[in-house]
Amino acid sequence: MFSGRVPPHFKRNRLSEALDARRAEGQPVIDLTLSNPTRAELDYPPDLLAPLADPRALTYDPQPFGLVDARRAVAREYERQGLDVSPDRIILTASTSDAYALLFKLLANPGDEILVPRPSYPLFDHLTALEAVNAPPYDLEYHGSWAIDFASVERALTDRTRAVLVVSPNNPTGSFITRDELDRLAAMCAVRDIAIVADEVFADYELEPGSARSAGRVSSRRDVLSFALGGLSKSVGLPQVKLGWIAAAGPDSLVGAALDRLELICDTYLSVSTPVQVAAATLLYRGVSVRAQIAERVGTNYRWLASKSAASSCTCRRAEGGWYAVLQVPSIEPEEDLVVGLLIKDGVLTHPGYFFDFPHESFLVVSLLTPEAAFRDGVAHILRHFDCSVADGAPAATPPAQAHARDARKASASGGGAPRETKE
Ligand SMILES: Cc1ncc(COP(=O)(O)O)c(C=O)c1O
């Protein structure tokens, strides 16, 4: 009866079940997966959302790409980041997820392929499946910092490839795409008529000074059809107001053809509310204080984690930006047992690497958005867990888990909603 775009079953995964049980018993949880900024003990100006009540929004003026003042405000955001983007090439959306759905409709027929980075944002599984497109992965490799494995891109390209997704900085690896990498990817895509979609929602949050400015940005490309994605959800910590955007770039004729088609798609849905468009400029301007708090929080937590883990058996992988950190931990038990055990024994909730398709075990992903005291407490539990387990004579490292076992757990994680829990 139901389409294959949605999973056939919705089984909860072990981690979600353990979390429900713990909460039902009233036991405390140190949540190191927190990615909802509105629950992260930040100081939001109480009247921040007052612009949503602007009486100008009482008039409905349906514009497929959004009201021009709001699009100009987004263009100023790019200007702030040192980029020149015309408001004519900006399309407002209800969220980044909405932007993905619009772009997949624009670029791909059912059964076509959109290449996705691995490891990366778990929601890509659903975002692509819901548009009936396939999502073969290409790899990011770690050699002291993360880089695109171009051989894996070459291998993944087929005559059904319609776009390559880039997340910069990536969730969870924290890696920005470099200018050289983007040049190389653009050359590969341009000759094959493949578009680049770059999710830049975390672009304002650099963990390594200078990394954002030196990253490759698609909005200035003229050689390949490209789409940059951003939104209020991360840039000013307001996921609930639902405003995202797409900035189109590339050869003029291709951009024109893409905008004609996008106009039809956007006009069909008109999904962005008028109050948020009227308020956009003010929200972007007044949200600066929230952005500053988030930047301070993620930077402080990252530096603390890097220094503490340096003296332990866990390794904090180098991150250049974003809201997440990756801890490589000793493989003394399967990742799933590890995260469930950490929750049951220590009350610490983390995400296992397999949620993000890490190529092998064992990794934990922690959110740097967590309030500092809770972050330190939770990380201290993790580090103690390993240093004690290893010292207690736990068995030597297990071999990497078999791919099929990992896939099965990820599938049940999808059914149980775990990737959604990583998306707020
Ligand atoms: C890489 C990435 N893109 C997009 C989003 C969500 O953005 P939005 O709330 O605008 O849909 C997230 C949320 O965590 C994310 O990690």
Side-chain angles (χ1 to χ4, degrees), residues 141-192:
E141 285 184 333
Y142 189 75
H143 305 286
S145 59
W146 292 91
I148 294 177
D149 171 10
F150 279 95
S152 74
V153 181
E154 288 280 4
R155 282 195 301 275
L157 290 170
T158 71
D159 57 7
R160 296 211 71 172
T161 310
R162 296 289 169 262
V164 178
L165 299 193
V166 168
V167 185
S168 177
N170 186 31
N171 167 9
T173 61
S175 45
F176 282 93
I177 187 167
T178 65
R179 287 187 189 143
D180 286 350
E181 284 178 319
L182 185 55
D183 285 345
R184 198 163 161 196
L185 193 62
M188 288 167 86
C189 291
V191 288
R192 295 172 169 90

Side-chain angles (χ1 to χ4, degrees), residues 388-406:
C388 294
S389 305
V390 174
D392 289 351
T398 52
Q402 296 299 309
H404 65 267
R406 296 162 53 79

Side-chain angles (χ1 to χ4, degrees), residues 95-97 121 167 171 199 201-202 233-234 324 422-424:
S95 63
T96 317
S97 294
Y121 185 34
V167 185
N171 167 9
D199 182 331
V201 294
F202 295 111
S233 152
K234 312 294 182 216
Y324 302 96
T422 69
K423 186 232 176 243
E424 300 216 35

Side-chain angles (χ1 to χ4, degrees), residues 31-387:
D31 186 358
L32 296 185
T33 69
L34 177 89
S35 56
N36 177 349
T38 68
R39 300 227 182 256
E41 297 175 17
L42 301 168
D43 272 330
Y44 284 84
D47 61 348
L48 183 59
L49 298 186
L52 290 169
D54 190 316
R56 284 178 297 167
L58 288 168
T59 305
Y60 184 35
D61 175 16
Q63 298 289 337
F65 290 165
L67 298 176
V68 71
D69 283 351
R71 294 161 67 200
R72 285 196 187 118
V74 173
R76 285 196 295 278
E77 284 296 288
Y78 281 105
E79 202 179 307
R80 173 176 64 77
Q81 296 176 348
L83 299 163
D84 181 18
V85 179
S86 161
D88 299 340
R89 291 186 166 196
I90 289 169
I91 298 121
L92 302 184
T93 66
S95 63
T96 317
S97 294
D98 186 35
Y100 279 118
L102 297 170
L103 291 174
F104 296 165
K105 287 182 186 66
L106 170 74
L107 298 167
N109 286 313
D112 282 346
E113 293 166 359
I114 309 278
L115 266 51
V116 300
R118 175 174 65 187
S120 195
Y121 185 34
L123 209 68
F124 287 144
D125 290 352
H126 294 312
L127 290 169
T128 50
L130 288 173
E131 298 303 323
V133 296
N134 296 322
Y138 68 92
D139 294 318
L140 305 180
E141 285 184 333
Y142 189 75
H143 305 286
S145 59
W146 292 91
I148 294 177
D149 171 10
F150 279 95
S152 74
V153 181
E154 288 280 4
R155 282 195 301 275
L157 290 170
T158 71
D159 57 7
R160 296 211 71 172
T161 310
R162 296 289 169 262
V164 178
L165 299 193
V166 168
V167 185
S168 177
N170 186 31
N171 167 9
T173 61
S175 45
F176 282 93
I177 187 167
T178 65
R179 287 187 189 143
D180 286 350
E181 284 178 319
L182 185 55
D183 285 345
R184 198 163 161 196
L185 193 62
M188 288 167 86
C189 291
V191 288
R192 295 172 169 90
D193 283 337
I194 294 172
I196 298 180
V197 176
D199 182 331
E200 300 174 344
V201 294
F202 295 111
D204 281 314
Y205 302 100
E206 57 176 25
L207 297 168
E208 202 163 277
S211 52
R213 288 271 162 181
S214 58
R217 301 293 296 261
V218 294
S219 45
S220 34
R221 296 221 73 95
R222 299 198 52 90
D223 53 348
V224 61
L225 183 63
S226 309
F227 302 94
L229 310 186
L232 294 190
S233 152
K234 312 294 182 216
S235 78
V236 290
L238 289 176
Q240 75 276 43
V241 303
K242 310 303 295 177
L243 184 70
W245 54 81
I246 301 170
D252 287 341
S253 60
L254 268 184
V255 173
L259 292 180
D260 287 346
R261 288 160 177 79
L262 265 178
E263 187 168 349
L264 172 93
I265 302 170
C266 293
D267 200 27
T268 305
Y269 292 95
L270 291 169
S271 55
V272 190
S273 85
T274 302
V276 78
Q277 296 184 56
V278 170
T282 318
L283 293 177
L284 280 164
Y285 172 69
R286 294 181 57 198
V288 172
S289 72
V290 180
R291 174 160 63 240
Q293 291 174 65
I294 296 176
E296 171 72 24
R297 169 82 55 84
V298 296
T300 304
N301 280 342
Y302 175 69
R303 287 188 295 275
W304 187 84
L305 176 66
S307 76
K308 287 292 159 193
S309 58
S312 80
S313 54
C314 306
T315 312
C316 173
R317 290 215 161 170
R318 179 174 160 205
E320 295 157 347
W323 291 6
Y324 302 96
V326 173
L327 261 186
Q328 181 163 17
V329 298
S331 287
I332 49 179
E333 58 192 325
E335 262 176 13
E336 188 173 39
D337 293 349
L338 166 63
V339 289
V340 172
L342 276 173
L343 179 59
I344 292 174
K345 289 191 220 126
D346 298 271
V348 179
L349 179 64
T350 53
H351 276 142
Y354 70 81
F355 273 13
F356 304 83
D357 273 339
F358 275 78
H360 60 84
E361 300 200 352
S362 291
F363 295 97
L364 294 175
V365 174
V366 294
S367 168
L368 300 170
L369 195 60
T370 311
E372 281 157 41
F375 186 81
R376 292 179 183 205
D377 197 13
V379 169
H381 275 283
I382 296 174
L383 299 183
R384 266 202 304 275
H385 176 92
F386 286 102
D387 289 332

